[in-house]
Amino acid sequence: MSLPPLPDSALNLGAQARDWKHAVMLAGKALETSGAVTAEYAKRMVRVVEEFGAYIVIAPGLALAHARPGPDVHAEGLAVVTLADPVPFGHPHNDPVSVVIGLAVCTPEEHVAGVAALANAFNDSSTIDALAGATTPDEVRRILGIPEQVTS
């Protein structure tokens, strides 16, 4: 499986976040704006962190915000939020976070495949810093290996 499409509407570059909850909500809003999810999905992503902790901070500076498939997911979706000022999520080794990836999937199988595809995109240790410094949607897509597309 390749990564889902990444329309311009699913990107928020150089965002300001007050804290980790706000950063996750920004990723949820980007997924919502792209049409992949409803507003409820962002709230569920926050609850996942509240319940299970900062395990979504999967590498230094990188959080993978997501929740289980549910009725608030309309389509598989990907969002990228870069933060002007990194925020702590409470992870003992990988804080603070400067890049939040939002992932929405419709089935458990898509979840596993989506996480695997993202893991491949981040095999190169320079990817997180490159994303954090990206200034255009096309640059983000190039870094992640997502083909250019008609943007929304």
Side-chain angles (χ1 to χ4, degrees):
M1 172 188 167
S2 60
L3 291 172
L6 187 61
D8 288 4
S9 59
L11 295 164
N12 187 347
L13 306 179
Q16 295 287 337
R18 295 180 297 277
D19 55 23
W20 72 263
K21 285 183 186 179
H22 188 213
V24 170
M25 291 299 287
L26 289 171
K29 184 64 175 175
L31 285 166
E32 180 186 357
T33 301
S34 75
V37 303
T38 69
E40 183 59 32
Y41 188 74
K43 296 173 191 170
R44 287 201 305 122
M45 290 193 307
V46 168
R47 286 195 298 267
V48 164
V49 179
E50 289 173 337
E51 183 174 349
F52 298 109
Y55 82 97
I56 69 164
V57 183
I58 59 172
L62 177 67
L64 175 56
H66 61 284
R68 289 184 170 278
D72 49 8
V73 178
H74 299 304
E76 182 183 25
L78 185 68
V80 175
V81 176
T82 63
L83 302 174
D85 299 305
V87 298
F89 274 60
H91 193 282
H93 307 292
N94 294 333
D95 271 348
V97 168
S98 56
V99 177
V100 181
I101 304 290
L103 179 65
V105 295
C106 298
T107 67
E109 295 78 18
E110 284 179 352
H111 176 81
V112 171
V115 170
L118 280 168
N120 286 338
F122 289 99
N123 276 341
D124 182 342
S125 61
S126 68
T127 300
I128 298 167
D129 288 340
L131 277 180
T135 58
T136 68
D138 284 338
E139 187 178 1
V140 170
R141 284 188 282 271
R142 181 188 53 74
I143 292 165
L144 291 176
I146 297 172
E148 288 189 37
Q149 56 201 357
V150 176
T151 55
S152 59

